[in-house]
Amino acid sequence: MSIEHLDVLKRNLAESKWIIDEELQGNDYDISGYWVVIRPNGTNEHTIVFEGLDEAGVLPMEKSYACHIQGNNELSLYFGNLKNTFPLELEAFVSKLSLENT
């Protein structure tokens, strides 16, 4: 992942009326960081978990390689090629997130 992946994800979340309420540190075990996202009225809270682990240890968030919604590993996003796979997978991720608890 790159800072550009994070920027595109943030922008797509904002366009879909999600607010990043908190940005939290990872767990020093296998998680690079967390974003707590909410709707503008403060409802429908979800935590996006950024995955990043290699042989050297936990990666910083800008080098994580995937994310998922806490409590729902099936609602996940792999940070692939920014021009090819990522845009479609990102659109599906945010769309599914918007359907959670609605």
Side-chain angles (χ1 to χ4, degrees):
M1 180 168 162
S2 67
I3 292 175
E4 191 173 356
H5 279 95
L6 283 176
D7 290 342
V8 171
L9 177 56
K10 279 183 182 181
R11 187 171 50 249
N12 203 289
L13 287 167
E15 289 170 358
S16 295
K17 308 288 189 260
W18 288 102
I19 296 170
I20 299 172
D21 189 48
E22 293 182 81
E23 295 187 36
L24 306 170
Q25 294 291 325
N27 64 9
D28 294 330
Y29 176 67
D30 61 348
I31 303 300
S32 298
Y34 304 89
W35 285 352
V36 177
V37 296
I38 59 172
R39 291 298 193 182
N41 65 0
T43 64
N44 212 12
E45 180 179 301
H46 294 284
T47 301
I48 300 175
V49 180
F50 291 88
E51 303 164 28
L53 180 65
D54 69 7
E55 61 277 348
V58 179
L59 300 169
M61 196 133 126
E62 64 272 5
K63 292 185 179 183
S64 61
Y65 44 78
C67 67
H68 68 272
I69 299 302
Q70 189 170 12
N72 186 352
N73 290 348
E74 292 181 17
L75 184 45
S76 62
L77 174 65
Y78 176 74
F79 304 129
N81 185 292
L82 275 167
K83 303 288 185 221
N84 294 327
T85 57
F86 186 69
L88 291 175
E89 292 175 5
L90 173 61
E91 183 180 333
F93 176 79
V94 173
S95 179
K96 289 176 186 174
L97 174 62
S98 296
L99 293 174
E100 285 282 298
N101 298 330
T102 57

